Amino acid sequence: MIETCWHLLGIEETTDKAVIRQAYRAKLPKYHPETDPEGFKALREAYEYAMQYADSPETTIDTSLSESLNESNAPNPISTEEIQVNEICQKYQSLLDDPQRCYNIDEWHQFVASFYDYSMTVIDIVKWQLLEISYSTSHVSLSCTKVLADSLRWRQQLMTQLPDKIDRYDDFLNQIEQGDYFNYATLSTISKTLQNVTLDYLDFAKWIFWERSAGELDYFLSQDTVIYLPNDENLMLQYANWHCYAKQANAAILGYALSQLAVIELEPHLIIEWKYIAAQQYTLLDDKDNSLKYWLELYNSGHYQEKSASWIIYWCSVYAKEHLPLLIVALNHSACLQPNTTEDLMYTIPRFSTTTIARLVKLNKDDYTPEIADFISWALTENWNYRQILLSLLSDEDSNHLLRLYRHAIMLRHGNEILLQEILEEDSDNAFELFIIQNLQRQAKQYLEWITKLEPIQQFKTWLYDNDENASIPDEWNPEIENNQFVFARLWLDRFRHLPFVSKSHLYYYISYSQMEMFDWLVFFAMRIGYDFPNPPYANDRDTYWQWYRYCMLVIALANNPAKIAAYIKQNNSTFNIPDDSPIIPVVNAITQSNWQNENELYNAINNDNKMINCMLLNFPNSIESVIDSDPEQIDFYDIQQNIAKLWKLKLANHNPVYLMLLLTILLYKSSQTEKLHRILGKIADDNQELQTIANRFAKHRNLPFTFDRKKYHYNESVDKLKKLADRLSHYYGVCNNDELKMLIAFKDNSDNDLVLRLCAALLLAKDANNKNELTSTPLPKNKACQFWRWHGRANETGFLLQLFFSYFLYRFNKLFIVNSQNPIAIILGAIVLINIIFAIKRRLNDHYNGDRFFFIKRIMYLPLLFYPCWGSGLPYANRYGAPIERKKPKS
């Protein structure tokens, strides 16, 4: 047998079961059970012997040798009991070898009934031999064996009678308790050899299903083999699940599943199971409509919801990819408490589950349109910033059903009561879109209940809508105080709606723009530039209400990112219902009507002629308005020169030439740039002789000719102040006082002023900041009140009075003790008195010096007026004469 075994399998002697199985499978096609039953039987016996040898090679060889020796020796006489024991064992072996009886449980009951023909002594002896035979048999029905196990009480008596065999038989007895995973009796119509092959195949497939990966199961099921597939419902259900787990399409399994679903009185749980199989097979067979139908039925039934959701998402990724992010959000389940709960109210807030977030993270935004990509980014943002989905909202002209659905998904987070109610009224003839809508409606009910019933929200609204303009914000809503209440207000404020003026006033005075969410621009426009959004139409006119909402979003979008929104509007030929009196009409006309190709050309096409447009241009990249609004210390003069020469050339071409000359003088008035300034100013003047004269004066002396016509060039007092400050700040020691700084800030922030002059004011503020930084960093000596001998020192009011008092003291001393005015000592003292007074005035004026030309001459002219210049406050910061004198702090 040993040599025959390995010869039949075609391999060398080995204990590697994997090699044995592989050899067995390779030989199977040559010994078909129908055409060569004897060869198939011999191959099967060789396989079983080889597997037994792999488990215990020494025992297998010894057993074979002992059988040979027993055959050569004459049998010993045996007792009657041994004869009966052998008789029972032979009957049992016959039962196991008979293909028609071995899996028939009635035959097993008859076999057990035959025990009554034998004494208890025989049964006690044979029970353990029957256990060993059962244990050693490769294919035995566990359900049938349980009949034998219960009758012979193997489990109960094993501990007491064969304690040393517990480890050997324990697992086997446990398997007997579990029974067969299908009805083995369905195999009774085929040969024993084919039964064994079938069970080997099914057992191995089952083991791979539970213990190995789907890929390995797919590989096994894909191999060609011959088995008999019995018509057993339990087995077929498992067999179908194996193929679905391995993602193997099988039309036969689908057909069987549909035949089971056609059974009239099929149990409910089996209906669900076979629907699940049918749905998977329809999907694997690329049947788009039927697969969706079954997955939706399964999801709506409440069974296999997680698996159904995963398959629906897979279906969507194949057949409706543009719906996928929308579907993921629609399938979100937020386990939030009811608004009337007495528990922590934070758990009432609907939010995205970790499953939803994980699904969204897997999406590649590059595979979607910009609107949908923005939607994905928005959904993954912790605070759900509305600015991220403005493109999606602007895209929805209420004609594209997909964009309408995305709008509904966004409105779960940003929609007010009217827009949430609109979700609840939505419908569709498409089964898949209807499924999405129904899930959005489920969430819309949660949000609607949350914002209309949650007590903290109602309390916040009471304060917000209070008609008393002076009503201060309660502490529980004050964002400056640490608490958990304001989070509810923030989430409510993230839902745009019309607000009365008093509510805008409350938000403006008590809540910062960053905490108002979607009301930040609404409040800013109302309180800073006096613009109110138009009142919304009646809520029951859904289409008109959406167009009003969309117009509001357009204004907000242009204020947030005008360049991006402009490019989008032009690319998509978007249209909007804009009121006739809207201040954004010039911007929209410039976007839609002018022939611009890039941001710079668009910027030059937009005229800054109202406060709304000015606000929008603040966020336009590289705009003059953005420079005006920036921090003075961050202004780069070189970049501005480049922008004037390139980006702003057309923008500035039609502006007042004198204003442009002033602007360039501020930028270029340095000794190293004199020629460049002269050349540029000459280009501005062109052939105009009057402007050429002005340009020459500006370039050389930074003043205007006496014949200059101020009215013609709108040269008013404000412009003159800017020019004088420009002259002062052109030197590093030139600085502005507080009043002048306030004037510059107010001038640049007033959008009614000329844009070039506003830019001049912004540049002067930047120069002032630079000069102060340079003076502060210069190692200047400190000033003290007693340093009366320092001509280039500073003196405050105290130091000035002390120095005058010292002069007065010398004068009185001279009068009282030196009578003769011709006395040299008297002359010297008189000279000292005069010099000290002059030094005192000079030091005091040094404390005022801000860099103006002819400063000292102008101030000294005021001296007859009781030293008027000496009594004003000095500069609170360093000038070219050093830092101001430090005042002594009072002792505490």
Side-chain angles (χ1 to χ4, degrees):
M1 181 62 187
I2 297 176
E3 293 79 4
T4 305
C5 161
W6 305 116
H7 178 73
L8 279 175
L9 292 173
I11 57 175
E12 298 293 333
E13 185 176 322
T14 180
T15 58
D16 190 339
K17 290 186 176 182
V19 174
I20 297 172
R21 289 194 189 96
Q22 187 175 1
Y24 173 65
R25 293 193 189 107
K27 292 289 184 179
L28 271 176
K30 296 181 181 180
Y31 301 93
H32 197 281
E34 299 295 335
T35 58
D36 187 8
E38 293 299 324
F40 180 78
K41 180 179 179 182
L43 178 64
R44 182 65 191 179
E45 289 176 351
Y47 169 71
E48 291 178 355
Y49 180 83
M51 293 299 286
Q52 184 179 358
Y53 175 81
D55 288 332
S56 180
E58 296 180 357
T59 305
T60 304
I61 295 173
D62 292 341
T63 303
S64 301
L65 292 175
S66 62
E67 288 175 355
S68 300
L69 291 173
N70 289 335
E71 289 176 2
S72 61
N73 296 330
N76 294 324
I78 57 175
S79 63
T80 303
E81 293 176 347
E82 290 177 336
I83 293 173
Q84 293 177 343
V85 167
N86 290 335
E87 184 179 318
I88 294 173
C89 289
Q90 289 175 4
K91 287 182 179 180
Y92 185 48
Q93 192 63 52
S94 298
L95 175 63
L96 295 175
D97 293 338
D98 190 334
Q100 296 181 354
R101 297 169 55 228
C102 62
Y103 301 132
N104 188 334
I105 198 167
D106 292 334
E107 295 290 339
W108 285 71
H109 280 294
Q110 291 180 18
F111 173 67
V112 171
S114 68
F115 292 169
Y116 293 106
D117 298 334
Y118 302 96
S119 65
M120 290 301 299
T121 304
V122 173
I123 300 302
D124 286 339
I125 296 172
V126 80
K127 69 170 61 173
W128 305 119
Q129 295 186 29
L130 296 179
L131 173 58
E132 178 60 29
I133 294 172
S134 302
Y135 178 79
S136 302
T137 303
S138 298
H139 303 291
V140 63
S141 168
L142 298 176
S143 299
C144 293
T145 308
K146 189 174 186 304
V147 174
L148 188 60
D150 290 344
S151 175
L152 298 178
R153 300 175 63 81
W154 285 339
R155 169 65 73 185
Q156 293 85 344
Q157 297 181 13
L158 183 63
M159 177 68 74
T160 57
Q161 297 190 24
L162 294 176
D164 57 327
K165 298 291 186 179
I166 291 177
D167 292 339
R168 178 176 175 81
Y169 298 123
D170 190 57
D171 288 342
F172 177 64
L173 294 176
N174 290 334
Q175 292 175 16
I176 291 174
E177 293 297 326
Q178 295 175 7
D180 298 327
Y181 58 94
F182 74 96
N183 184 8
Y184 280 19
T186 55
L187 299 172
S188 299
T189 58
I190 60 176
S191 67
K192 185 62 178 176
T193 302
L194 191 53
Q195 285 178 351
N196 293 341
V197 172
T198 298
L199 289 175
D200 276 339
Y201 181 86
L202 296 176
D203 289 344
F204 194 58
K206 179 184 176 185
W207 178 81
I208 297 177
F209 174 76
W210 288 108
E211 302 294 338
R212 311 298 290 183
S213 66
E216 292 182 75
L217 182 59
D218 175 46
Y219 174 76
F220 178 77
L221 295 176
S222 301
Q223 297 182 58
D224 294 331
T225 188
V226 178
I227 63 168
Y228 171 79
L229 194 60
N231 186 19
D232 180 84
E233 293 180 0
N234 291 334
L235 175 62
M236 289 303 297
L237 185 59
Q238 294 185 67
Y239 188 73
N241 273 310
W242 297 344
H243 280 75
C244 292
Y245 174 70
K247 289 186 171 52
Q248 276 205 354
N250 192 311
I253 289 177
L254 174 61
Y256 188 88
L258 296 178
S259 68
Q260 289 296 307
L261 291 172
V263 176
I264 297 176
E265 296 184 356
L266 190 65
E267 295 183 16
H269 77 279
L270 290 177
I271 293 176
I272 298 299
E273 294 295 334
W274 285 115
K275 275 189 177 182
Y276 181 57
I277 299 298
Q280 291 187 84
Q281 285 301 323
Y282 272 129
T283 304
L284 295 171
L285 291 167
D286 292 329
D287 191 326
K288 174 183 175 182
D289 297 330
N290 282 315
S291 61
L292 178 64
K293 171 189 172 184
Y294 276 93
W295 286 124
L296 296 183
E297 285 183 10
L298 273 173
Y299 187 92
N300 293 328
S301 71
H303 300 279
Y304 286 113
Q305 275 202 334
E306 284 300 319
K307 291 184 177 180
S308 299
S310 298
W311 277 100
I312 293 171
I313 289 172
Y314 169 76
W315 181 93
C316 183
S317 68
V318 176
Y319 300 111
K321 189 173 183 178
E322 70 279 2
H323 288 74
L324 185 54
L326 175 67
L327 172 65
I328 292 173
V329 171
L331 289 174
N332 177 65
H333 278 272
S334 181
C336 57
L337 302 177
Q338 293 297 317
N340 57 358
T341 182
T342 57
E343 300 182 37
D344 189 348
L345 293 179
M346 290 296 293
Y347 294 107
T348 64
I349 302 175
R351 63 196 76 209
F352 280 167
S353 67
T354 54
T355 301
T356 300
I357 294 173
R359 288 168 175 167
L360 288 170
V361 168
K362 294 179 181 178
L363 299 179
N364 184 1
K365 288 181 280 190
D366 294 337
D367 295 338
Y368 298 93
T369 62
E371 300 90 342
I372 299 178
D374 288 345
F375 175 84
I376 297 171
S377 299
W378 164 81
L380 288 173
T381 304
E382 183 179 358
N383 294 326
W384 289 358
N385 192 320
Y386 76 93
R387 292 174 176 84
Q388 294 175 290
I389 41 79
L390 286 173
L391 281 184
S392 300
L393 299 179
L394 297 179
S395 304
D396 183 13
E397 299 181 9
D398 217 16
S399 58
N400 186 311
H401 200 63
L402 176 62
L403 292 177
R404 183 180 176 88
L405 292 181
Y406 270 101
R407 179 225 300 181
H408 289 329
I410 294 169
M411 289 305 113
L412 292 177
R413 181 63 173 79
H414 295 300
N416 54 41
E417 293 83 348
I418 295 174
L419 293 171
L420 287 173
Q421 186 62 39
E422 187 176 348
I423 300 175
L424 300 180
E425 298 171 2
E426 189 64 72
D427 199 2
S428 177
D429 295 332
N430 182 282
F432 179 60
E433 289 190 349
L434 181 61
F435 173 75
I436 292 176
I437 291 170
Q438 289 170 344
N439 280 277
L440 293 177
Q441 289 171 339
R442 166 180 53 80
Q443 298 180 65
K445 290 178 182 178
Q446 282 184 323
Y447 282 102
L448 192 59
E449 187 173 14
W450 182 79
I451 64 175
T452 56
K453 294 184 180 180
L454 193 65
E455 186 62 26
I457 294 296
Q458 309 315 312
Q459 294 173 1
F460 176 77
K461 289 166 62 178
T462 300
W463 167 77
L464 185 64
Y465 289 102
D466 192 336
N467 289 325
D468 182 6
E469 294 185 3
N470 298 319
S472 60
I473 188 170
D475 288 343
E476 60 267 26
W477 301 113
N478 191 340
E480 304 300 326
I481 300 176
E482 292 186 5
N483 57 76
N484 289 327
Q485 293 291 306
F486 188 71
V487 64
F488 300 106
R490 280 202 58 159
L491 294 174
W492 186 87
L493 289 171
D494 211 6
R495 299 174 181 275
F496 188 84
R497 67 195 75 219
H498 174 72
L499 286 181
F501 181 81
V502 67
S503 298
K504 300 173 189 175
S505 177
H506 290 330
L507 292 175
Y508 180 74
Y509 287 111
Y510 293 104
I511 299 178
S512 64
Y513 290 124
S514 62
Q515 295 167 327
M516 293 182 199
E517 299 300 334
M518 296 187 79
F519 292 99
D520 54 356
W521 284 107
L522 175 80
V523 172
F524 179 85
F525 290 147
M527 304 304 294
R528 298 293 292 275
I529 67 173
Y531 174 75
D532 286 322
F533 286 93
N535 292 330
Y538 292 109
N540 55 1
D541 188 353
R542 302 297 188 200
D543 293 340
T544 307
Y545 186 88
W546 172 246
Q547 294 304 329
W548 167 83
Y549 188 96
R550 187 164 167 259
Y551 164 73
C552 296
M553 293 301 105
L554 173 63
V555 176
I556 292 173
L558 287 173
N560 276 319
N561 196 333
K564 179 180 178 180
I565 300 303
Y568 179 81
I569 292 174
K570 181 178 182 180
Q571 180 180 357
N572 295 277
N573 296 319
S574 304
T575 58
F576 300 89
N577 292 342
I578 302 176
D580 294 336
D581 60 347
S582 173
I584 70 168
I585 289 179
V587 176
V588 177
N589 288 341
I591 294 171
T592 57
Q593 297 176 11
S594 62
N595 187 24
W596 56 278
Q597 301 298 322
N598 52 51
E599 293 176 354
N600 180 44
E601 293 181 5
L602 173 61
Y603 176 66
N604 287 299
I606 298 175
N607 292 322
N608 186 348
D609 52 9
N610 64 59
K611 294 181 179 180
M612 174 72 80
I613 296 177
N614 184 73
C615 290
M616 293 178 176
L617 294 180
L618 290 178
N619 290 324
F620 205 99
N622 297 316
S623 67
I624 298 175
E625 290 79 3
S626 65
V627 174
I628 293 173
D629 191 57
S630 61
D631 184 352
E633 295 190 3
Q634 302 300 320
I635 291 179
D636 189 318
F637 280 64
Y638 178 78
D639 285 347
I640 294 177
Q641 292 178 39
Q642 298 302 310
N643 290 340
I644 290 176
K646 298 177 181 178
L647 302 181
W648 303 339
K649 187 174 182 179
L650 294 176
K651 189 81 169 180
L652 300 175
N654 297 323
H655 277 264
N656 189 318
V658 175
Y659 294 172
L660 293 176
M661 290 181 185
L662 176 61
L663 172 63
L664 291 166
T665 302
I666 295 172
L667 285 171
L668 301 173
Y669 195 80
K670 292 182 181 179
S671 57
S672 60
Q673 295 179 315
T674 302
E675 292 184 5
K676 181 178 180 181
L677 176 62
H678 196 281
R679 184 174 64 256
I680 295 176
L681 294 184
K683 289 183 179 179
I684 295 175
D686 200 16
D687 296 333
N688 189 312
Q689 189 62 40
E690 184 180 11
L691 289 178
Q692 283 287 356
T693 303
I694 297 173
N696 291 333
R697 296 285 292 182
F698 256 122
K700 293 180 180 179
H701 308 292
R702 190 178 295 154
N703 56 21
L704 298 168
F706 294 108
T707 58
F708 174 64
D709 188 349
R710 293 173 176 263
K711 290 185 178 180
K712 179 179 179 181
Y713 294 104
H714 305 285
Y715 192 88
N716 54 30
E717 184 180 356
S718 298
V719 183
D720 192 53
K721 288 181 180 179
L722 294 178
K723 188 191 76 67
K724 290 178 180 179
L725 290 176
D727 181 42
R728 180 198 304 171
L729 295 171
S730 63
H731 305 287
Y732 80 92
Y733 46 79
V735 292
C736 298
N737 59 37
N738 290 334
D739 291 336
E740 290 166 340
L741 290 177
K742 291 178 181 178
M743 183 274 292
L744 288 175
I745 292 172
F747 191 91
K748 81 176 183 68
D749 290 341
N750 188 352
S751 59
D752 291 334
N753 294 324
D754 184 87
L755 185 63
V756 175
L757 295 180
R758 293 175 61 208
L759 179 58
C760 289
L763 296 180
L764 292 176
L765 287 169
K767 276 185 170 289
D768 176 76
N770 291 339
N771 290 353
K772 287 175 181 175
N773 289 335
E774 187 170 349
L775 286 170
T776 303
S777 61
T778 302
L780 298 173
K782 290 186 178 181
N783 288 283
K784 296 181 181 180
C786 62
Q787 294 173 329
F788 55 84
W789 61 87
R790 286 187 57 195
W791 176 256
H792 292 297
R794 296 174 66 166
N796 56 13
E797 296 95 329
T798 303
F800 179 65
L801 292 173
L802 287 175
Q803 204 158 346
L804 290 181
F805 177 77
F806 179 67
S807 295
Y808 177 74
F809 173 77
L810 290 178
Y811 171 75
R812 294 299 298 169
F813 179 82
N814 193 21
K815 281 289 186 181
L816 292 176
F817 298 102
I818 304 176
V819 179
N820 186 2
S821 60
Q822 299 300 321
N823 189 325
I825 297 176
I827 295 173
I828 293 172
L829 288 176
I832 291 174
V833 168
L834 180 60
I835 293 172
N836 191 57
I837 292 174
I838 294 173
F839 268 63
I841 295 172
K842 178 63 167 64
R843 291 180 65 218
R844 186 71 189 107
L845 292 180
N846 287 348
D847 199 46
H848 293 79
Y849 180 65
N850 55 13
D852 279 334
R853 286 191 294 177
F854 312 115
F855 174 83
F856 293 104
I857 296 175
K858 294 176 183 177
R859 291 304 176 96
I860 289 174
M861 292 176 64
Y862 290 113
L863 283 177
L865 299 177
L866 300 176
F867 297 96
Y868 169 74
C870 299
W871 302 114
S873 299
L875 296 175
Y877 30 76
N879 63 16
R880 67 184 301 181
Y881 298 105
I885 295 175
E886 296 181 359
R887 299 182 182 272
K888 293 184 178 180
K889 297 181 180 179
K891 295 182 179 179
S892 57

